[in-house]
Amino acid sequence: MKPSLLAPLFKDLSALQGVGKGTLFCLAQLGIQSRFDMISHLPTGLLERRRILTITMAGDGDLVTLPATILSVDGLVSKSRSRSPRPLRIHCQDRSGQLFTIALFRANPDYVARTYIPGQERLISGRVEHFKKQLQISHPDFVGSLEATPYWEGVEPVYPLTKGLTQKRIQGLIKENLKGLPDLPEWHRESVIRQYGWPSWKQALNDVHKPEQEKDLSPIAPTRHRLSFDEMFANQLSMMLVRSQQKQFKGQCHVLNTEMREKFLQILPFSLTKDQNKAIAEIDKDMSSSGRMIRLLQGDVGSGKTVVAMMAMLTAVASGGQAALMAPTEVLARQHGHVLKAWADEMGLILEVLTGSDTAKKKREIYAALASGECHMVVGTHALIQEGLTFRNLTLAIIDEQHRFGVEQRLKLSQKGDTPDLLAMTATPIPRTLMLAAYGDLECSYLREKPANRQDVDTRVISLDRLDEIMDSLQRALQAGDKIYWVCPLIEESETMEIAAAEERYCVLKERLKGFQIGLIHGRLSAQEKIERMSAFRSGDTQILVATTVIEVGVDVQDATVMIIEHAERFGLAQLHQLRGRIGRGDQSGTCLLLYGKESGHLSRQRLQVMKNSHDGFYIAEQDWKLRGGGEVLGSRQSGLQNFRFVDMVVHEPLLNLAHQEAHDILREDPSLKSDRGQAIRILLHLFLKDKAMSYLEAA
Ligand code: ADP
Ligand code: MG
């Protein structure tokens, strides 16, 4: 339940005067569904409207307001709205006697007759065009009596629009909505407000819609700065509330089994890195404590997360529980399954792989084995969260590439057990800032160090102009035994075009490199086909694999040595880094060619240089974040950052630590937010719809 103070902000938009289905639809396109959404729609520009005495004072394209007398209306014939492509013309004369016309297309005759009465003087505001030596205003923004509002001059905000909405309309709607703004109690500490010179919440919202100069539009103008801080603070606080609540859930109390671990370490053909050992120790601590483990394991492709996951799974099994690992794609699930099953077999444990393409019979068998507890571990895709699949006692859920699953799906896996411990894994390193912003103080383990014998990939940034040369040089590389990935350009708008590009490249290469086997893989293939083509490449039956970006994160073909990426500038650095991580995985060194298009700009060239100079995924992610900014780093949507109204994470990053600290402090002083300030903060949380956090708070 939202406090009644906030009710006006969340009243239905349709209750507004003159807002019908059409307008509601347009507003929804802009993400505006409530009145608070409406006033959160910030101007992106400003326009100056000048008051002038005669129209000759206006240059072509000027926005002006002036008094003029209506002389006659031309073309007003029928009663119905004109469908004629020709405009209706209204002849006017300004006070100096200068003539001009107003042009109206598809005008409503009633409106015209009411508004433009010959012989009367009107105040007219609009953009002046010099049209065939004539002066004209088409579709004036305002027409009214001479005493009309002073709003018709001066600076006005310009808002992002969508088809079907005009500037005038949205300006009006926002103005209307600003009227009912409640006075809310201050939720920030006074010293913080003073330090930054911020206006009150209400003042900030009012002023943000009345920019006077360009600098008022800046994200660090006091109004916007304050609104962003409000949002960031609310966000940090709600994540902390949710987390502290979750920690109170009783989790699984696992027992560490040294004997089993030692056996496992003996099976491994290598010894663990320092980071792997540290991550395992952190996981052990969580798993053996009574609270619930919620931990994120971050490490580049090839950093060795699988072994860490296996260790955790062994702990679950040794404690009499079961473990499940869910991966986002069939290819990945099979690959994990392949590695883990071999280990499990040697340990004398039962591990099954379950995916959508298993036969009904196979599925039934696995279901039975999981329900009885006969099967200790399972690796799979979404098949793991189907209805009807039950575990005897699932105590550990691992989610690989966690950002590729929705909250719902992650939750569903958890619900297969009784608050199982949770380990999420990601190969997309998340810069600290983003981490804090998107997940609050979620606990993390890092694998920064590369397993021994891994060599840096020789990376070159080359113009696509040299494509021919490069294709020729492949002949030599193939003769020397190289295995090559050829990644085709990312085409955001259309998967079909992307596949077409890959098919074309495939044909060209086939033509040029007779005597070598070439494979093609893309997203429209069935899971079975993808697996077959990957394994043909793994076994060496094909030597070049032409691919769209479907060559999944984590796909492991040990002896692939060369990767060519067309139009590398279209990819995010984190994505390039992941792609590149797919080569040079064995003992041979790898080569990666990043081909950029002619039209790519300086900035994108600079980004590619980062790739050339670094192999540290965390560093690359930071740089990408700095060069490109925010949400894109994590592949947009999943980052959780898209939901901000006011915050521009790149610009407002300096506020993040403060928001975090303030949230931390208030929860320490007043954990249930009962004090006066606590009450004000509750209102803030409601404002930003953190209902989830609120329900926890109310339950407490
Ligand atoms: P990730 O899942 O993090 O991308 P993997 O777990 O698939 O990485 O490991 C990549 C490769 O490195 C695998 O072939 C794995 O056997 C190997 N590996 C893992 N840990 C080590 C280590 N400590 N020393 C040597 N090789 C390792
Ligand atoms: Mg992996």
Side-chain angles (χ1 to χ4, degrees):
M1 270 287 289
K2 287 195 186 298
S4 56
L5 204 52
L6 293 180
L9 289 170
F10 293 96
K11 246 195 291 180
D12 216 13
L13 281 179
S14 58
L16 283 170
Q17 187 86 52
V19 173
K21 274 215 179 80
T23 310
L24 283 179
F25 176 80
C26 294
L27 290 173
Q29 298 294 301
L30 293 170
I32 300 175
Q33 313 220 355
S34 70
R35 296 187 181 198
F36 185 48
D37 291 340
M38 183 96 90
I39 53 178
S40 304
H41 193 63
L42 302 188
T44 48
L46 43 80
L47 273 180
E48 183 153 13
R49 193 181 290 273
R50 276 186 301 135
R51 181 76 174 243
I52 54 174
L53 288 174
T54 128
I55 194 155
T56 49
M57 290 166 74
D60 191 18
D62 281 1
L63 200 56
V64 298
T65 299
L66 80 163
T69 304
I70 312 299
L71 300 178
S72 62
V73 180
D74 213 11
L76 191 61
V77 276
S78 81
K79 277 249 173 267
S80 67
R81 189 182 283 263
S82 162
R83 289 193 193 286
S84 154
R86 291 226 318 278
L88 203 131
R89 296 196 175 276
I90 294 145
H91 300 282
C92 310
Q93 182 178 41
D94 74 12
R95 283 185 180 170
S96 73
Q98 174 66 46
L99 299 176
F100 68 96
T101 54
I102 290 174
L104 298 174
F105 292 84
R106 305 198 44 171
N108 174 338
D110 281 344
Y111 164 79
V112 174
R114 232 183 313 120
T115 314
Y116 300 98
I117 303 169
Q120 292 199 354
E121 198 176 33
R122 287 270 174 272
L123 202 56
I124 294 165
S125 191
R127 202 177 283 287
V128 177
E129 296 157 31
H130 293 211
F131 180 70
K132 287 187 190 161
K133 290 198 186 146
Q134 290 207 322
L135 294 169
Q136 167 178 314
I137 296 179
S138 35
H139 292 271
D141 298 326
F142 309 98
V143 178
S145 69
L146 290 185
E147 304 77 51
T149 144
Y151 181 56
W152 296 13
E153 57 191 304
V155 176
E156 61 194 74
V158 176
Y159 295 96
L161 292 178
T162 185
K163 193 163 180 281
L165 273 184
T166 61
Q167 247 344 300
K168 187 176 143 194
R169 182 86 170 109
I170 198 142
Q171 283 172 356
L173 283 168
I174 288 173
K175 241 177 124 202
E176 186 61 31
N177 276 285
L178 283 172
K179 277 185 197 152
L181 228 48
D183 279 304
L184 301 182
E186 182 55 67
W187 40 73
H188 296 309
R189 284 190 301 123
E190 207 190 306
S191 60
V192 172
I193 295 281
R194 218 174 323 110
Q195 186 191 341
Y196 287 93
W198 284 332
S200 71
W201 174 79
K202 183 172 173 176
Q203 190 73 47
L205 267 178
N206 268 308
D207 290 354
V208 81
H209 291 287
K210 295 187 188 98
E212 283 167 7
Q213 312 166 41
E214 285 290 332
K215 75 173 174 34
D216 298 335
L217 300 169
S218 153
I220 53 167
T223 49
R224 293 185 186 222
H225 210 216
R226 163 164 188 145
L227 295 171
S228 307
F229 187 69
D230 286 347
E231 183 167 37
M232 230 183 228
F233 177 58
N235 189 51
Q236 286 298 310
L237 200 55
S238 62
M239 284 188 292
M240 280 183 202
L241 286 166
V242 171
R243 185 126 324 115
S244 73
Q245 194 62 29
Q246 279 178 340
K247 275 204 176 145
Q248 287 166 22
F249 284 135
K250 238 171 61 75
Q252 300 288 338
C253 229
H254 289 99
V255 190
L256 304 177
N257 181 317
T258 341
E259 211 177 305
M260 198 185 249
R261 295 174 160 232
E262 257 155 31
K263 193 165 162 198
F264 176 56
L265 291 177
Q266 270 163 18
I267 291 172
L268 287 179
F270 46 74
S271 49
L272 298 179
T273 64
K274 223 168 56 227
D275 283 353
Q276 280 171 328
N277 277 318
K278 182 156 175 264
I280 290 168
E282 287 162 348
I283 292 167
D284 285 351
K285 188 155 168 276
D286 288 353
M287 286 185 75
S288 57
S289 79
S290 62
R292 181 180 196 194
M293 170 166 85
I294 302 175
R295 180 171 286 279
L296 179 65
L297 176 62
Q298 290 194 55
D300 266 0
V301 175
S303 61
K305 293 186 291 295
T306 318
V307 184
V308 178
M310 182 67 180
M311 273 294 208
M313 290 171 98
L314 290 179
T315 302
V317 176
S319 313
Q322 288 167 298
L325 188 157
M326 183 163 73
T329 66
E330 173 119 16
V331 172
L332 272 178
R334 295 254 166 231
Q335 186 178 294
H336 275 307
H338 184 72
V339 175
L340 293 169
K341 195 172 167 55
W343 287 334
D345 286 350
E346 281 198 64
M347 303 279 300
L349 299 171
I350 313 281
L351 183 144
E352 297 289 356
V353 181
L354 180 69
T355 69
S357 60
D358 284 322
T359 61
K361 177 163 173 282
K362 178 92 194 283
K363 277 186 195 154
R364 241 179 292 125
E365 283 166 15
I366 298 176
Y367 275 32
L370 286 170
S372 71
E374 182 196 327
C375 171
H376 304 110
M377 295 171 266
V378 65
V379 176
T381 54
H382 300 80
L384 294 180
I385 52 178
Q386 298 309 308
E387 301 264 322
L389 183 150
T390 54
F391 289 83
R392 195 181 66 87
N393 182 22
L394 179 72
T395 63
L396 173 69
I398 302 182
I399 297 176
D400 193 23
E401 297 308 326
Q402 58 99 26
H403 58 275
R404 296 187 45 186
F405 290 99
V407 178
E408 279 298 297
Q409 296 167 322
R410 287 182 256 168
L411 206 64
K412 270 197 182 144
L413 184 62
S414 288
Q415 284 165 348
K416 297 280 179 191
D418 178 16
T419 51
D421 280 339
L422 202 67
L423 179 66
M425 309 201 288
T426 177
T428 312
I430 310 170
R432 204 197 79 86
T433 317
L434 265 179
M435 198 53 224
L436 196 56
Y439 303 103
D441 45 5
L442 177 66
E443 272 152 332
C444 274
S445 297
Y446 296 94
L447 302 181
R448 292 174 188 276
E449 186 188 5
K450 284 191 190 138
N453 83 19
R454 190 69 39 79
Q455 298 176 33
D456 283 352
V457 173
D458 177 18
T459 304
R460 302 185 207 159
V461 180
I462 302 174
S463 164
L464 256 172
D465 286 345
R466 293 174 56 193
L467 192 61
D468 274 327
E469 228 176 290
I470 290 163
M471 287 197 281
D472 287 340
S473 69
L474 291 186
Q475 189 95 21
R476 254 172 295 132
L478 289 167
Q479 268 153 5
D482 275 319
K483 243 187 212 184
I484 303 171
Y485 281 112
W486 189 296
V487 182
C488 292
L490 181 74
I491 302 172
E492 299 251 330
E493 313 84 63
S494 150
E495 194 193 0
T496 311
M497 274 163 71
E498 206 166 289
I499 291 170
E503 275 166 351
E504 192 189 322
R505 180 61 61 224
Y506 169 74
C507 291
V508 170
L509 287 171
K510 222 167 141 166
E511 189 59 32
R512 286 207 173 209
L513 299 165
K514 293 215 166 79
F516 295 100
Q517 297 304 313
I518 302 178
L520 172 67
I521 188 166
H522 59 69
R524 291 265 170 83
L525 298 175
S526 71
Q528 192 52 39
E529 282 171 311
K530 280 190 222 166
I531 289 168
E532 280 166 17
R533 295 191 186 184
M534 279 314 299
S535 55
F537 186 55
R538 189 173 295 128
S539 70
D541 289 347
T542 53
Q543 292 107 48
I544 300 187
L545 187 64
V546 178
T548 57
T549 44
V550 290
I551 35 169
E552 308 283 351
V553 174
V555 163
D556 200 10
V557 176
Q558 288 283 333
D559 55 352
T561 43
V562 178
M563 176 168 290
I564 296 163
I565 304 177
E566 283 187 57
H567 279 292
E569 78 278 4
R570 295 188 193 164
F571 294 84
L573 290 191
Q575 207 178 359
L576 287 176
H577 180 63
Q578 287 198 337
L579 286 169
R580 181 174 64 179
R582 223 118 325 154
I583 54 169
R585 308 196 92 194
D587 330 325
Q588 296 122 299
S589 62
T591 306
C592 177
L593 306 185
L594 302 175
L595 307 184
Y596 59 84
K598 268 206 274 303
E599 64 283 15
S600 66
H602 171 71
L603 186 65
S604 40
R605 228 70 69 67
Q606 200 185 335
R607 287 175 48 231
L608 295 182
Q609 289 302 324
V610 172
M611 291 300 297
K612 180 177 156 68
N613 298 329
S614 174
H615 283 78
D616 175 348
F618 290 93
Y619 172 80
I620 289 172
E622 293 277 355
Q623 291 304 309
D624 199 19
W625 155 253
K626 288 204 178 116
L627 289 169
R628 279 213 302 181
E632 288 180 68
V633 178
L634 283 182
S636 66
R637 266 165 303 130
Q638 298 94 338
S639 68
L641 293 179
Q642 293 309 55
N643 303 329
F644 283 125
R645 295 164 184 264
F646 302 116
V647 173
D648 173 341
M649 197 41 83
V650 174
V651 181
H652 296 123
E653 181 186 338
L655 289 178
L656 190 59
N657 277 320
L658 179 65
H660 184 73
Q661 193 57 46
E662 289 292 305
H664 188 266
D665 288 352
I666 185 69
L667 286 186
R668 206 190 41 215
E669 283 164 32
D670 179 16
S672 49
L673 300 179
K674 291 265 160 63
S675 65
D676 283 353
R677 185 169 164 229
Q679 298 289 347
I681 290 173
R682 281 169 177 258
I683 292 175
L684 170 73
L685 289 172
H686 277 300
L687 190 58
F688 283 99
L689 289 169
K690 305 294 181 193
D691 283 334
K692 186 119 188 258
M694 294 313 289
S695 63
Y696 282 123
L697 195 60
E698 254 124 49

